Structures are given as structure tokens and as C-alpha cells.
């Protein structure tokens, strides 16, 4: 092999090549879509679950994308090794992703807006409030500092989503996102999809056969709420331990200073 072709192989190995991009908001069946894409494409699907459970350093990359723009170089760092993406925060960067991956197909997952609003208040917004309870030093320690920064940039500014939003406000946010996606993504590249429809419309859109397994149904509201309760208990415990340790350090430090210089 020539030096040029060898260099090109290394460069290609570091470049991402998303085939399917789900741009539906969280709580529209993104976990089920993640599993479905992995079955259909035979590769991994990027999702917030990957960030939280495997690579929290990506939170900082998404914050960079939120403040400075999503470039091809940054997208390669984020999506290298993945064939698809779903869920927050990627769903809010659909315009950038359409530019970076001109051959990718887009899936806009939707559901009844009223039920989506109820689900959001009972899951995502509640979880965001819990995370805000954690002291900043502890957020750094557990790798979640930039999730708070993302909330400020993407929830507060881009979605204009308040954690105490009413159902009416949430429905307007949902409808606005759906309308923006339909207006900006060419219709030949976009499928408006409900998870309840199962394999058929998704497989037809992607040009792949229907698998011989049931369509995945995962991460319902009850499961999400249980995870939120677990995080809440952990955050209270962490805050208590941190305050106790910090208080002890200050007390012993003050006692030492009094003995030495008092």
C-alpha cells in the first residue's frame, strides 16, 4: 500500500458515518428506537444511555457543540463507531447532522402531545430537578457537571423549556420541534414515525427486511421513574457525605490553627 492510501485508511477509521438519525424528542420511544436500529443495522446506536453509562466525557463535547457549533471534526469524535443516533442531545442538532451526513436517513418519532407532556413532567423534568440538587463539586466528581451546563444551553435557551413548564407550554415546545424538523429536513429523507407502528414503516423507509423478532419496547415511564428515585437517594447521600467531610475538615483545620497560633 502507498503512504497516501495507508493514511486514508487511518483517516476513514476515525470518521463517523451515521446511517440513521432519529430526531424525535426524549420520551418519544427513543430507547426502543435505539434497540430497533441496532437490530436493523447490525451496529451500535448512540443514545444518552451511552453517555451516562459508558462515556460521560461526551457531555463536555456536546457542550462545545452547543456553544461553538457541531463541526465534522467534533461529530467524528462523538459518533465514531456508531451507525445511528437517537435521543437528547443529538435530536436538537438535526440541521447540523443533515449537513454533516448528507446520505443519512432521518426518523422523527412522535406521540400524542398531551401524553408526551405528562411523561416529560413525570420523568425528564423531575430528573433534571434532582440533578440540580447535587452540589457542584460532586457533579465534577461523578462526571455530570456538563449535564447541568447542557440544560442551561439546550433546555433553557434552545428549547425554551422551563423545568416547571405547564402542559400547555410543553405541548407548544413539542409541536414547534416537530414543525421545525418537517420544515427543514427534505421529505424524501424523513419518516414521521410512531413506535406503536412497529417494524413495517421503519423497515420500508430504510429498505431493509422485517426482522423475525418483536419490535423492542423498553424504558417506559415506570422504569424511568424508578431510575429517578435511585438517583435522588444517591444525590442526597452524596450531598450529606460531602457536607460532613467538608465540615470535619474545617473543624479540625480551625482547631489546629487555634492550637498553633492561638
Amino acid at each position: 500500500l502507498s503512504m497516501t492510501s495507508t493514511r486514508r485508511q487511518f483517516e476513514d477509521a476515525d470518521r463517523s458515518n451515521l446511517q440513521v438519525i432519529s430526531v424525535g424528542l426524549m420520551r418519544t420511544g427513543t430507547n426502543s428506537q435505539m434497540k430497533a436500529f441496532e437490530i436493523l443495522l447490525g451496529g451500535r446506536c448512540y443514545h444518552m444511555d451511552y453517555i451516562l453509562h459508558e462515556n460521560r466525557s461526551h457531555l463536555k463535547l456536546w457542550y462545545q457543540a452547543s456553544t461553538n457549533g457541531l463541526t465534522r471534526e467534533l461529530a467524528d469524535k462523538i459518533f465514531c463507531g456508531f451507525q445511528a443516533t437517537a435521543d437528547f442531545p443529538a435530536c436538537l442538532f438535526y440541521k447540523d447532522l443533515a449537513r454533516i451526513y448528507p446520505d443519512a436517513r432521518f426518523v422523527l418519532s412522535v406521540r400524542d402531545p398531551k401524553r408526551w407532556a405528562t411523561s416529560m413532567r413525570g420523568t425528564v423534568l423531575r430528573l433534571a430537578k434532582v440533578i440540580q440538587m447535587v452540589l457542584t463539586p460532586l457533579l465534577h466528581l461523578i462526571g455530570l457537571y456538563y449535564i447541568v451546563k447542557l440544560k442551561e444551553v439546550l433546555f433553557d435557551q434552545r428549547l425554551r423549556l422551563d423545568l416547571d413548564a405547564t402542559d400547555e407550554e410543553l405541548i407548544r415546545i413539542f409541536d414547534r420541534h416537530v414543525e421545525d424538523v418537517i420544515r427543514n429536513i427534505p421529505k424524501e429523507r424523513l419518516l414521521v414515525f410512531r413506535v406503536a407502528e412497529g417494524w413495517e414503516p421503519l423497515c420500508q423507509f430504510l429498505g431493509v427486511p422485517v426482522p423475525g423478532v418483536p419490535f423492542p419496547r423498553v424504558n417506559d415511564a415506570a422504569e424511568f421513574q424508578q431510575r429517578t428515585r435511585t438517583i435522588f437517594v444517591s444525590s442526597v447521600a452524596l450531598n450529606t457525605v460531602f457536607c460532613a467531610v467538608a465540615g470535619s475538615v474545617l473543624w479540625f483545620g480551625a482547631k489546629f490553627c487555634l492550637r498553633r497560633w492561638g
Side-chain angles (χ1 to χ4, degrees):
L1 293 175
S2 67
M3 290 295 292
T4 301
S5 61
T6 301
R7 189 184 306 112
R8 186 177 298 114
Q9 287 182 355
F10 280 112
E11 290 174 351
D12 290 343
D14 292 332
R15 288 178 71 83
S16 55
N17 184 30
L18 292 180
Q19 301 175 48
V20 182
I21 299 169
S22 174
V23 292
L25 293 173
M26 45 285 199
R27 306 310 303 162
T28 60
T30 59
N31 279 73
S32 297
Q33 290 175 75
M34 173 182 66
K35 298 297 183 183
F37 294 152
E38 291 179 343
I39 292 171
L40 295 178
L41 302 176
R44 295 199 70 181
C45 176
Y46 192 89
H47 191 279
M48 178 56 84
D49 274 4
Y50 165 77
I51 300 175
L52 295 179
H53 297 143
E54 299 184 44
N55 202 337
R56 293 184 179 181
S57 65
H58 275 207
L59 292 170
K60 185 175 182 178
L61 297 180
W62 280 112
Y63 181 67
Q64 292 174 359
S66 302
T67 54
N68 301 323
L70 182 61
T71 62
R72 175 77 214 205
E73 180 182 7
L74 193 53
D76 286 338
K77 289 181 181 179
I78 294 171
F79 296 117
C80 187
F82 292 88
Q83 281 69 53
T85 182
D87 200 49
F88 176 88
C91 64
L92 300 184
F93 291 82
Y94 59 89
K95 294 179 184 178
D96 302 292
L97 295 175
R99 168 181 51 81
I100 295 171
Y101 304 102
D103 297 324
R105 294 295 188 95
F106 287 78
V107 176
L108 173 59
S109 51
V110 298
R111 63 183 297 189
D112 177 75
K114 292 183 179 180
R115 296 184 64 182
W116 178 82
T118 300
S119 179
M120 280 289 290
R121 282 193 293 102
T123 56
V124 174
L125 301 188
R126 181 177 296 174
L127 176 60
K129 292 179 181 179
V130 168
I131 292 175
Q132 284 190 328
M133 294 172 54
V134 182
L135 298 172
T136 299
L138 290 178
L139 288 173
H140 280 286
L141 183 64
I142 62 178
L144 290 179
Y145 172 73
Y146 280 99
I147 202 169
V148 176
K149 303 298 289 183
L150 278 176
K151 179 262 176 189
E152 295 171 357
V153 176
L154 297 181
F155 270 34
D156 298 355
Q157 299 176 23
R158 186 170 299 196
L159 281 178
R160 301 194 292 279
L161 171 57
D162 185 87
L163 297 187
D164 294 313
T166 65
D167 280 359
E168 290 74 17
E169 291 169 333
L170 288 168
I171 289 171
R172 284 198 295 270
I173 290 169
F174 181 86
D175 289 341
R176 184 171 63 241
H177 178 76
V178 170
E179 292 167 1
D180 287 347
V181 171
I182 292 175
R183 183 169 57 251
N184 286 283
I185 302 298
K187 61 181 181 180
E188 63 272 13
R189 297 180 64 188
L190 179 66
L191 170 68
V192 179
F193 175 70
R194 293 177 181 268
V195 169
E197 295 173 328
W199 287 120
E200 283 74 14
L202 190 59
C203 292
Q204 183 178 0
F205 177 67
L206 299 178
V208 297
V210 175
V213 295
F215 190 90
R217 313 279 184 182
V218 293
N219 193 27
D220 61 12
E223 180 183 345
F224 197 108
Q225 289 168 356
Q226 179 57 45
R227 292 167 64 184
T228 300
R229 284 191 289 270
T230 301
I231 294 174
F232 173 76
V233 172
S234 300
S235 67
V236 171
L238 283 171
N239 284 348
T240 302
V241 171
F242 179 83
C243 290
V245 171
S248 298
V249 170
L250 290 173
W251 187 83
F252 282 110
K255 189 174 182 180
F256 173 82
C257 290
L258 288 172
R259 283 182 177 180
R260 182 158 186 174
W261 295 291

